[in-house]
Amino acid sequence: SQQGEEDPQALSIQEGENATMNCSYKTSINNLQWYRQNSGRGLVHLILIRSNEREKHSGRLRVTLDTSKKSSSLLITASRAADTASYFCATDFAYNNNDMRFGAGTRLTVKP
Amino acid sequence: GAGVSQSPRYKVAKRGQDVALRCDPISGHVSLFWYQQALGQGPEFLTYFQNEAQLDKSGLPSDRFFAERPEGSVSTLKIQRTQQEDSAVYLCASSLPPAPEAFFGQGTRLTVV
């Protein structure tokens, strides 16, 4: 069964705008990761945030984690058409940080 | 190899046929995962190996699904007596603990007709 749930399911924005996606999960975790998937391709790791971290940045990506609410958000700033893809959060379980489960994803469309 | 390699990329099977999907993980990666991804959905966990040991197979949907990794490197996911609902993309990923980041292959798209 899936551990995380992303919202919204789909998001459509104009190039240059910011995109925010959210992820909620159910059980205690060690790490939360965000992955990106272009149509018909495998998943690519974007960023990881550990359970003792609250915010992390990588280029145009900003991730926050609120363990009290069991939620995370991914912000993509100054979006580009090439950011069009599906974005998934993946969580492990606190008892086994090598057992990784995904949500259903957010489908992001960035219009040029 | 440079990345995770899966073969075949595409497989069409007749209903009732057995199939075998192969995953070559990144050399030296201890952990290996199999996921099933239906169209428009997220990857659903199937099974997890640490070296040759299958530590979690709770996601395998039925006893028609079987995975092995006999020498702790290449893994094979076998589906017996395929059914239409088995049609999906099967993704393999590997990682090197303690780093949790997983590297994915391109997947095998299985279509059962």
Side-chain angles (χ1 to χ4, degrees):
Chain A
S1 63
Q2 293 182 318
Q3 157 83 316
E5 292 184 9
E6 291 91 341
D7 82 271
Q9 290 186 340
L11 180 61
S12 182
I13 59 175
Q14 292 294 135
E15 210 166 26
E17 294 180 339
N18 296 341
T20 300
M21 290 161 270
N22 303 296
C23 167
S24 60
Y25 57 92
K26 298 171 186 173
T27 61
S28 296
I29 61 171
N30 293 308
N31 306 290
L32 186 143
Q33 306 178 59
W34 284 90
Y35 287 79
R36 164 198 168 117
Q37 185 179 36
N38 287 84
S39 180
R41 311 292 288 274
L43 281 78
V44 175
H45 179 265
L46 294 176
I47 192 166
L48 174 149
I49 187 164
R50 301 187 188 280
S51 59
N52 61 355
E53 298 176 311
R54 292 297 167 256
E55 187 170 316
K56 203 159 182 183
H57 297 255
S58 176
R60 293 183 297 112
L61 304 180
R62 172 177 169 256
V63 170
T64 62
L65 179 65
D66 186 335
T67 52
S68 67
K69 295 181 180 178
K70 292 187 169 59
S71 68
S72 173
S73 67
L74 171 68
L75 169 68
I76 304 175
T77 59
S79 63
R80 306 168 182 167
D83 294 330
T84 294
S86 292
Y87 292 82
F88 298 92
C89 69
T91 54
D92 60 9
F93 296 109
Y95 64 86
N96 179 2
N97 65 358
N98 284 306
D99 194 349
M100 193 169 58
R101 308 294 171 105
F102 288 82
T106 293
R107 173 70 191 170
L108 174 66
T109 302
V110 181
K111 300 174 185 175
Chain B
V4 177
S5 178
Q6 291 187 247
S7 60
R9 283 295 314 278
Y10 303 94
K11 175 70 180 177
V12 178
K14 290 185 178 178
R15 188 174 163 188
Q17 187 179 351
D18 297 350
V19 297
L21 312 181
R22 177 186 169 106
C23 173
D24 284 79
I26 293 173
S27 179
H29 276 197
V30 168
S31 297
L32 186 144
F33 306 83
W34 282 100
Y35 292 87
Q36 179 190 61
Q37 186 175 27
L39 189 65
Q41 300 296 314
E44 286 274 3
F45 173 82
L46 293 177
T47 187
Y48 158 62
F49 290 86
Q50 188 169 61
N51 295 308
E52 68 279 4
Q54 189 174 22
L55 298 187
D56 188 344
K57 56 181 180 179
S58 62
L60 296 177
S62 76
D63 58 8
R64 297 186 296 104
F65 286 70
F66 172 75
E68 60 183 5
R69 194 185 185 197
E71 297 178 0
S73 55
V74 171
S75 176
T76 304
L77 176 66
K78 298 179 179 177
I79 309 173
Q80 297 177 322
R81 304 181 303 281
T82 52
Q83 300 177 5
Q84 278 195 312
E85 60 261 32
D86 300 335
S87 295
V89 175
Y90 291 84
L91 295 167
C92 175
S94 69
S95 69
L96 183 61
E101 295 91 335
F103 296 83
F104 281 79
Q106 299 277 48
T108 293
R109 181 177 296 278
L110 172 66
T111 304
V112 182
V113 297

